[in-house]
Amino acid sequence: MTLLAEHITATTRRRPFLATGLLGLALMTPLMANNAQARELSVSTVLSDAFPWGQAAEKWAELVKERSGGELTLRVYPNAQLVAGDQTKEFSAMRQGLIDLAVGSTINWSPQVPELNLFSLPFLMPDHAAIDALTQGESGKQVFAAIESKGIVPLAWGENGFREVSNSSRPIEAPEDLKGLKIRVVGSPLFQDTFTALGANPTQMSWADAKPALTTGAVDGQENPLSVFDVARIDQVGQAHLTLWHYMADPLIFAANQRVWKSLNEEERTLLTETAKEAGAWETAMSREGNAQRLTDIESRGVNVITLDEDAMQAFRDATQSVYANWTPKIGEALVETARTEVAASR
C-alpha cells in the first residue's frame, strides 16, 4: 500500500463522514454529468398560446421535454420577442443563429423563400383537403427543399388557417364591394397585389399597429383566420362585417437553424422531428375543429357573417387572375402547375 493510500485509509477510519461524503460524490457524478448535457433551445413564434399558433409551439415543447426526460428542453418565445416584435425578420434571424427553432408562417417567411408565396396565391385552395394535398404532396416537398437551401431545416407542417376578410363599412359579397376600402395587410407584396386587383387600398402594417388603426378608423378592415378574429375580439374595434371567402391559407412550418441541427445527435434530431410532426398534426386538427364554435361565438356578438356561393367565389377568382400572371414566374411555374394539379386531384 502506498503512503498516500495509507493516509486516506487512516483518515477515513478516523472520520467516517468523510468516506460517506466521498461515496456520495462518486454516486452524484453520473447525475451531474447528465445535467451538464441537458440542453435548452429557443423557439420563436408570432402568437401566444391564446391562439392555436402559439399552442403549437407549446405542444412541441411539452412533447420534447416529456420524451427526453428533460435532457432537451424548448423555451418558447411568443409574440416575436426574439425579433423585437417584427415577425418579418424571424426567418433571417434564424438563419443568422439568433433563433434556434421556430414555428413560423409561410407568409412571414415568403420574402426570403419565394416558393412560400404559393400558399398566398388567391383562391388556390378552396378547402382543407386542398391544403393537405399541397403540404403532404409533391408541392410540399419542393417547398421544404427551397427552405432547406436557405439554411433552415423544415421538420413538419402546422396550420394558421384560412384568412377571411372583415370591415367596418359594408358587407363584402362581390369584388366591387372592396373598392376604396383601406384594408390592413401583412408585409408581403403579393397581398398588396391581391387587394389592389380587387379595387381595395391595401395598407401594410404589423399586427401590433393594426388594432389601434382599426379602432381609430385609419383602416377600414383586415384579413385573418377566424381564430385571430375571435380571440383578439376584432369585433370590438368596429369590424361588423365578416366574409368567409377562404381566399388563402397560411400553413405553419416547424423548423430548425441548420447549424443547431448539425450540432444535435441522431437521437435528438429524430426526437425533434417526430414531436414536431405530432404537435403539427395535433394543432391542425384542433384549429380546424374549433372553427365551428368560433363562428358561433362571433355571430353571437352581432357580427354580420357572409358566406359566398360558387358564383360569387368565381367572380373573386376572375378578378385576381392578374396576380397569377405576376407571381407565377417568381414562385416557379413548375411548382404552381404541380400545386394546381394536386388541388384538382383533391376535389
Side-chain angles (χ1 to χ4, degrees), residues 4-335:
L4 178 58
E6 289 176 347
H7 174 73
I8 292 175
T9 301
T11 302
T12 54
R13 282 173 182 164
R14 291 193 305 271
R15 299 170 62 188
F17 68 88
L18 178 58
T20 304
L22 290 171
L23 176 61
L25 181 60
L27 291 173
M28 287 174 61
T29 301
L31 179 60
M32 291 172 65
N34 244 3
N35 288 339
Q37 293 169 5
R39 185 171 185 181
E40 180 181 278
L41 301 177
S42 63
V43 183
S44 175
T45 188
V46 169
L47 295 179
S48 72
D49 60 5
F51 303 85
W53 186 345
Q55 291 165 21
E58 293 291 347
K59 183 69 171 180
W60 193 17
E62 175 190 317
L63 290 172
V64 168
K65 183 178 181 179
E66 174 187 309
R67 306 278 169 83
S68 72
E71 288 302 310
L72 182 62
T73 60
L74 309 185
R75 184 175 179 184
V76 179
Y77 292 84
N79 303 315
Q81 291 179 45
L82 299 178
V83 284
D86 188 345
Q87 58 210 59
T88 62
K89 293 181 178 179
E90 184 179 66
F91 190 85
S92 297
M94 187 158 55
R95 289 183 69 186
Q96 295 165 11
L98 303 176
I99 295 171
D100 298 326
L101 310 170
V103 180
S105 157
T106 58
I107 298 171
N108 293 336
W109 293 3
S110 63
Q112 289 79 37
V113 187
E115 291 83 354
L116 289 174
N117 286 294
L118 174 71
F119 300 100
S120 297
L121 286 173
F123 309 104
L124 173 65
M125 299 165 285
D127 50 32
H128 291 133
I131 300 175
D132 294 340
L134 299 191
T135 58
Q136 307 306 313
E138 181 58 31
S139 297
K141 292 177 183 177
Q142 291 182 28
V143 168
F144 267 22
I147 294 171
E148 192 152 14
S149 72
K150 302 293 185 179
I152 299 299
V153 181
L155 305 176
W157 295 97
E159 188 169 294
N160 195 28
F162 282 109
R163 299 178 77 92
E164 319 293 6
V165 65
S166 70
N167 81 103
S168 58
S169 300
R170 54 182 176 265
I172 296 174
E173 300 174 323
E176 51 266 28
D177 295 326
L178 275 159
K179 288 184 179 177
L181 291 181
K182 293 181 181 178
I183 304 293
R184 176 266 174 182
V185 296
V186 297
S188 166
L190 197 157
F191 282 68
Q192 298 269 355
D193 288 356
T194 295
F195 280 89
T196 297
L198 291 169
N201 179 12
T203 304
Q204 177 185 326
M205 64 178 63
S206 70
W207 183 240
D209 296 330
K211 254 191 144 177
L214 291 166
T215 302
T216 61
V219 292
D220 302 303
Q222 59 86 52
E223 48 77 51
N224 256 309
L226 285 179
S227 60
V228 174
F229 189 100
D230 184 29
V231 177
R233 295 301 299 270
I234 305 302
D235 52 286
Q236 292 184 340
V237 290
Q239 297 298 286
H241 308 283
L242 173 65
T243 297
L244 306 180
W245 63 347
H246 284 21
Y247 89 110
M248 60 85 59
D250 180 23
L252 301 176
I253 299 169
F254 293 70
N257 167 275
Q258 201 170 71
R259 290 188 296 276
V260 168
W261 188 250
K262 288 180 179 179
S263 74
L264 300 171
N265 61 42
E266 195 60 37
E267 185 180 356
E268 291 169 327
R269 293 180 190 177
T270 299
L271 172 67
L272 282 178
T273 302
E274 290 180 349
T275 52
K277 289 179 178 178
E278 187 173 333
W282 172 85
E283 183 270 341
T284 297
M286 180 264 297
S287 178
R288 292 177 182 181
E289 290 166 3
N291 278 337
Q293 185 59 53
R294 292 184 190 108
L295 194 55
T296 297
D297 293 343
I298 289 168
E299 288 183 299
S300 72
R301 298 198 293 265
V303 177
N304 177 27
V305 177
I306 299 101
T307 302
L308 303 177
D309 61 23
E310 182 55 31
D311 288 342
M313 289 297 299
Q314 190 58 49
F316 281 103
R317 293 188 198 106
D318 292 343
T320 52
Q321 285 309 298
S322 61
V323 179
Y324 281 80
N326 185 27
W327 281 89
T328 295
K330 300 175 185 178
I331 296 168
E333 292 185 7
L335 176 57

